[in-house]
Amino acid sequence: MKVKVAKIAAKADEALSPASAVWGRVPGTRVVLEPSPLENQPSAYVRALPPRHGKIHEIEVRALHNGESLFFHLAWTDPNQDTTPTDAHPFPDAAAVMMPLPEAAEMVFEGDAISMGADNIPVNAWLWRPDFGEQAKNVTARGFGTSKRSADGGISARSEYARGRWAVVFGRALKPQLGPEESAPVTAPGKTLVAFAVWEGANNERAGLKAVSPKWITLEVAS
Amino acid sequence: MKEDWKPLRQLAMVIDLNKCIGCQTCTVACKTLWTDEEGMEHMYWNSVNTQPGRGTPRDWEGMGGGFENDVPRAGRLPSISEFGDVPRYDYERVFSEGHGEKEFLRPKKRPDWMFNWDEDQGAGVFPNSYFFYLPRLCNHCTYPACAEACPIKAISKRKEDGIVLIDQDKCKGYRFCMEACPYKKIYYNYVTRTSQKCIFCFPRVDKGVAQACARQCPGRVRFVGYLDDERGPIHRLVNQWKVALPLHPEYGTEANIYYVPPIGPLRNTEDGNFDPSQPRIPTEYLVSLFGANVKPAIETLQTEMDKRRRGEKSELLEILIGWRWPDDFFSHLTKDPVEAGGGLS
Ligand code: HEM
Ligand code: SF4
Ligand code: SF4
């Protein structure tokens, strides 16, 4: 499977706006999600839970770059908008885009099963949550239970919730401000891999309880 | 796996329910020492509830968690409204916005539940109604279901004394621990976005000072020490005399807060005489809390009390009474917090 990153001379502000007309010019790719498997997760408690997670079954993905920055537009249907954690709504909705870090380049291929990386397969995720504001977290992981969040990945995120649908845009410089240990650089033209995850807060989804694109997808960046 | 959590030594506490007067001094000692910051308003790492009663959080015994045949059992996330939030007052309106002459200070929302809401209600009917107080805190379990549940290992159990701690820098607020703890003794802080709970006063323990709840207790209800210290009160009450029992042993975590079960006063007959034929607090009720071992424990307690009544000596009652404070109560943790250094009291 492939997601194409079109080159469009859009201003960052335009591209970051989920409802901007610029996204109308980018064809969407439907990505089917599956509940994350429980059996190899790092918590005996989570492994023993009755499988009720993975409520979001598909997302629509669009991507573009403007020569400087890369943007992902994710949209999905979610009848419940969960923003700031409260007593009645303890968990927020969330979404993430994952890419392998350079060290993992020769270790993973399109179609390989997704995970949270491994010792020699470090991965990088951009994590959006409505309560994080306009700054997404830069997450790195080398296997289940190892994820680390950082706020200085230079990842912007803006979201909109309307008519039972979330639309979220992530944006980051192609050449990231953090080093290759923490942030996956993307070259144009070029090719890398991506994966997606969505958490349905109303279903108490968090951490390993989520819906994921089960296999690595090729990200093809236009020149 | 479960066994990996076992510490080299386990620090434990015994609470004698026959002596607890429900004064909540322990609760307040803990509150003022550890949970007086924003985001912690609803937290009572130590709470004292009247039994029988719905407890804290409300009906917590039906919320799941713990282990069943060593397999983790799914649990439910308790909410602040089930713990019972503190009443919030509109100080600004009354004190600084000029409404003080017409309105008095009252909770913004009429409270309908708080952590000790059903205090002193108990059960039974006159003249044989009954209740007792049950102080609760994190049990620093030998097999901490909370730690087992955390996918990022933010919860550790100290090898040297078994104290269970949530690393506030690692915790991401996933709250699997809150679901998994069968005693529902973990709280979520909406300001720090982390889970928090009793730390067994580890900064005090590290300096030889007993936990604030234990040291401040006017009833001298609480004993602390290592479980394997054969000369200390914990070992003697738990292992030797077997009169101190964990709450809900069926939860499978091996709790390390032990309770001396309450005997209760004698029953009365309609015409005002004593009726010693059956206990005031139904034994089945105590079994439902402390398991079947509560029966021999009560027998032992009663036998020893009878000895004392006849003027004989009872080693067990000497321990439970505790003549010298703090030495008879706190094993190696007898230091005064002020003498031990700043920030501990
Ligand atoms: C087999 C599929 C997957 C499983 C079983 C899984 C499992 C987990 C687990 C157990 C955690 C808890 C924290 C940790 O492990 O460090 C976690 C966190 C995380 N996962 Fe996954 N994951 C999977 C796929 C994905 C994918 C495809 C993405 C992104 C596209 C993703 C993004 C993240 C992020 C961003 C976090 C950190 C969340 C936070 O900081 O709160 N995961 N995952
Ligand atoms: S301070 Fe002691 S007597 Fe008072 S409620 Fe707590 S345990 Fe009971
Ligand atoms: S009582 Fe709950 S929070 Fe405390 S150690 Fe046991 S399982 Fe963990």
Side-chain angles (χ1 to χ4, degrees), chain A residues 42-50 84-88 90-92 129 131 144-149 204 206-209, chain B residues 1 65 71-82 148-153 172-176 179-180 188 190 193:
Chain A
S43 152
Y45 175 81
V46 170
R47 288 195 298 272
L49 284 176
T84 312
T86 63
D87 207 27
F91 298 99
R129 259 171 48 176
D131 56 325
F144 299 119
T146 65
S147 72
K148 287 194 181 57
R149 286 182 202 164
N204 287 357
R206 73 279 197 199
L209 301 180
Chain B
M1 298 304 89
V71 178
R73 188 168 65 122
R76 189 163 78 64
L77 198 68
S79 64
I80 289 186
S81 60
E82 286 165 319
E148 181 87 20
C150 178
I152 52 173
K153 296 195 164 49
K172 287 185 182 142
Y174 293 146
R175 284 163 275 175
F176 292 115
E179 290 182 6
Y188 184 63
Y190 280 87
R193 301 282 172 88

Side-chain angles (χ1 to χ4, degrees), chain B residues 70-302:
Chain B
D70 289 353
V71 178
R73 188 168 65 122
R76 189 163 78 64
L77 198 68
S79 64
I80 289 186
S81 60
E82 286 165 319
F83 281 111
D85 202 3
V86 290
R88 315 271 170 162
Y89 295 86
D90 205 344
Y91 293 108
E92 292 73 33
R93 194 173 156 77
V94 174
F95 290 146
S96 39
E97 288 169 15
H99 300 274
E101 302 216 334
K102 281 171 267 125
E103 291 172 32
F104 54 87
L105 201 57
R106 63 173 122 195
K108 287 190 207 168
K109 188 181 142 272
R110 200 185 152 85
D112 53 11
W113 183 260
M114 276 191 274
F115 94 85
N116 194 28
W117 194 254
D118 51 2
E119 182 171 75
D120 289 1
Q121 286 181 8
V125 285
F126 178 84
N128 288 310
S129 53
Y130 62 93
F131 66 74
F132 58 91
Y133 300 110
L134 182 70
R136 296 207 305 121
L137 57 152
C138 164
N139 288 288
H140 299 277
C141 304
T142 303
Y143 308 115
C146 55
E148 181 87 20
C150 178
I152 52 173
K153 296 195 164 49
I155 307 184
S156 60
K157 182 168 174 71
R158 302 207 302 188
K159 277 285 169 235
E160 68 273 27
D161 56 14
I163 295 181
V164 175
L165 297 171
I166 304 178
D167 186 330
Q168 293 298 297
D169 295 327
K170 283 192 189 159
C171 175
K172 287 185 182 142
Y174 293 146
R175 284 163 275 175
F176 292 115
C177 58
M178 288 180 73
E179 290 182 6
C181 169
Y183 296 96
K184 294 295 170 272
K185 265 295 167 192
I186 305 184
Y187 300 78
Y188 184 63
N189 185 322
Y190 280 87
V191 175
T192 61
R193 301 282 172 88
T194 54
S195 302
Q196 299 177 330
K197 68 164 195 73
C198 160
I199 56 175
F200 223 28
C201 288
F202 78 87
R204 290 168 65 113
V205 167
D206 288 347
K207 293 194 173 168
V209 181
Q211 289 79 358
C213 57
R215 201 178 157 95
Q216 296 300 103
C217 173
R220 299 187 180 176
V221 162
R222 301 191 187 213
F223 302 83
V224 289
Y226 290 117
L227 254 180
D228 64 0
D229 174 6
E230 297 195 352
R231 292 182 334 229
I234 305 297
H235 176 84
R236 291 163 79 199
L237 293 169
V238 174
N239 296 324
Q240 185 192 334
W241 285 95
K242 300 192 191 322
V243 292
L245 307 164
L247 180 62
H248 288 303
E250 75 278 14
Y251 291 170
T253 61
E254 285 195 16
N256 286 301
I257 307 300
Y258 297 84
Y259 297 92
V260 178
I263 305 289
L266 283 174
R267 281 176 69 87
N268 292 315
T269 57
E270 289 294 334
D271 52 10
N273 289 316
F274 289 134
D275 167 19
S277 69
Q278 44 176 321
R280 178 86 157 243
I281 303 172
T283 308
E284 316 81 78
Y285 179 61
L286 294 178
V287 170
S288 77
L289 292 178
F290 303 109
N293 290 341
V294 83
K295 289 183 185 171
I298 288 174
E299 264 170 44
T300 306
L301 286 164
Q302 233 134 21

